[in-house]
Amino acid sequence: STGTMTQKIALEFVSEDVAIFGSEAFMNPASTDEITVGYYVSRELGGFVFDLGIRNDWFERSGSVAEDHHDDEHDEEHGDEHGDEEAELNYFETDESITSFGLQISRVITDQFSATLNLASVERAPAAVELFMNGPHLATGRYEVGNPDLQTEESGSAELLLEYSTERFFGSLAVYTNDIDNYIYLYDDPVEERDGLISARYLQQDAEFRGFEFEVGAVVALAGGDLTLSYGFDSVDADFSDGTHVPRINPDRSIYSAAYSRGSLDASIVLKDVDRQSDAALNEETTSGYTMLNMKIANVFTLTNDVDLTVSVFGRNLLDEIARNHSSFVKEEVPLPGRSYGLKFYATF
């Protein structure tokens, strides 16, 4: 059988000027003009639902980079007495066209079970900061240097999603793979420092991402409400073609959750058990595992016919763990917040 077909066309024009001022002016002004044309079609055929999306982007970018004399022996001995104001500028312009598409094939196999396959080929042009960055970026604690010669990223991905759901039980499993040519990343130099910051450069290399995530749970009737218990786990491995690890990839983690709902009352407690990340990239620190316990209780009180008051109590990191997010640039200097409690009130009129 053949169902109805849905089609959409999108057209977008973007013109962007980026300028950074002040003491943290780590990039010269850059401009981007972009035109995007997209097409989407969805159709049911033979019990399957096909969703196809295609888009093409035309980019024009222009910017400049101050000539870097940091490694010049004369500058190391005598320093730069005049600052960046007299630095020679090298101007760059890029003009490229990139195409991406995604295909989703889904089917409801039974009333409880469904399967979805996602296939995609995506191209991504380098961002302005990846091309033209050249200066101290205090938010990341690094002196970042862009690369005007970066090539477009090209990725091919596949994902299989299986879902099961009944009135009392639910579960899902997703398995995915993503091969990225010319993957762009920020590389930390293990030796060099600039202006007291880590020296970092934007590089690119072919990379492979492999991962999966699953969740199982049950809903139990309890004291006039529903208690939902669930367990989830996710894992990803990301390696370059030379066998080294991609930087700032989060480790495996398990998530235990209990949520109770009855009328206007909602309560939840979530325990995240995050593993140690030992698959560190070159010159990257490993990160210890941690356990994060959060809770929240909220209730809605009807004050009048027109006013509802919501009162919530929450607690975060109740175990007061010293936890570091491995994907953070400043994980060593700035761990995640410690134990905290809070009480919130808000009214709806």
Side-chain angles (χ1 to χ4, degrees), residues 138-156:
L138 302 184
T140 63
R142 283 158 173 77
Y143 192 105
E144 298 182 15
V145 178
N147 182 357
D149 296 323
L150 290 175
Q151 303 298 307
T152 296
E153 286 185 351
E154 300 177 0
S155 70

Side-chain angles (χ1 to χ4, degrees), residues 139-342:
T140 63
R142 283 158 173 77
Y143 192 105
E144 298 182 15
V145 178
N147 182 357
D149 296 323
L150 290 175
Q151 303 298 307
T152 296
E153 286 185 351
E154 300 177 0
S155 70
S157 64
E159 178 190 41
L160 177 63
L161 173 62
L162 305 176
E163 294 180 292
Y164 177 82
S165 178
T166 66
E167 185 177 345
R168 290 303 180 188
F169 299 97
F170 60 89
S172 64
L173 170 65
V175 181
Y176 62 88
T177 177
N178 191 5
D179 292 342
I180 306 176
D181 294 339
N182 302 322
Y183 177 78
I184 299 172
Y185 64 101
L186 195 59
Y187 169 78
D188 293 341
D189 192 300
V191 177
E192 186 178 16
E193 285 191 3
R194 300 185 65 173
D195 296 350
L197 302 173
I198 297 171
S199 180
R201 295 175 289 132
Y202 281 98
L203 303 177
Q204 58 186 171
Q205 188 178 167
D206 295 348
E208 296 180 359
F209 290 72
R210 303 284 186 271
F212 69 93
E213 56 186 55
F214 74 86
E215 181 184 27
V216 293
V219 181
V220 181
L222 179 65
D226 288 326
L227 175 64
T228 303
L229 304 174
S230 67
Y231 168 73
F233 181 84
D234 57 75
S235 174
V236 59
D237 291 319
D239 300 299
F240 289 121
S241 56
D242 63 2
T244 59
H245 300 298
V246 175
R248 292 172 288 278
I249 299 297
N250 281 323
D252 298 351
R253 65 175 185 172
S254 295
I255 301 177
Y256 305 83
S257 174
Y260 181 74
S261 177
R262 186 183 69 179
S264 62
L265 174 67
D266 289 293
S268 65
I269 183 167
V270 178
L271 177 70
K272 295 182 181 180
D273 185 13
V274 181
D275 289 354
R276 168 185 173 87
Q277 180 55 288
S278 56
D279 292 342
L282 292 174
N283 313 317
E284 183 182 37
E285 295 289 338
T286 60
T287 306
S288 299
Y290 62 88
T291 302
M292 185 70 64
L293 181 63
N294 300 327
M295 59 79 64
K296 181 179 180 180
I297 301 174
N299 193 60
V300 180
F301 299 92
T302 301
L303 302 183
T304 68
N305 290 334
D306 299 322
V307 180
D308 289 334
L309 177 66
T310 301
V311 181
S312 61
V313 180
F314 65 87
R316 300 190 180 102
N317 194 3
L318 296 178
L319 303 178
D320 202 24
E321 289 270 280
I322 298 177
R324 288 180 166 82
N325 181 0
H326 189 78
S327 63
S328 170
F329 283 97
V330 291
K331 53 182 172 286
E332 295 300 321
E333 297 81 4
V334 185
L336 296 173
R339 181 190 295 125
S340 64
Y341 305 95

Side-chain angles (χ1 to χ4, degrees), residues 1-39:
S1 62
T2 301
T4 60
M5 184 168 61
T6 302
Q7 300 182 81
K8 297 179 182 179
I9 296 177
L11 181 62
E12 184 178 39
F13 300 89
V14 176
S15 181
E16 179 185 56
D17 294 318
V18 178
I20 301 172
F21 302 99
S23 59
E24 197 180 337
F26 48 75
M27 189 179 79
N28 294 335
S31 63
T32 302
D33 291 320
E34 177 183 354
I35 300 175
T36 299
V37 177
Y39 172 72

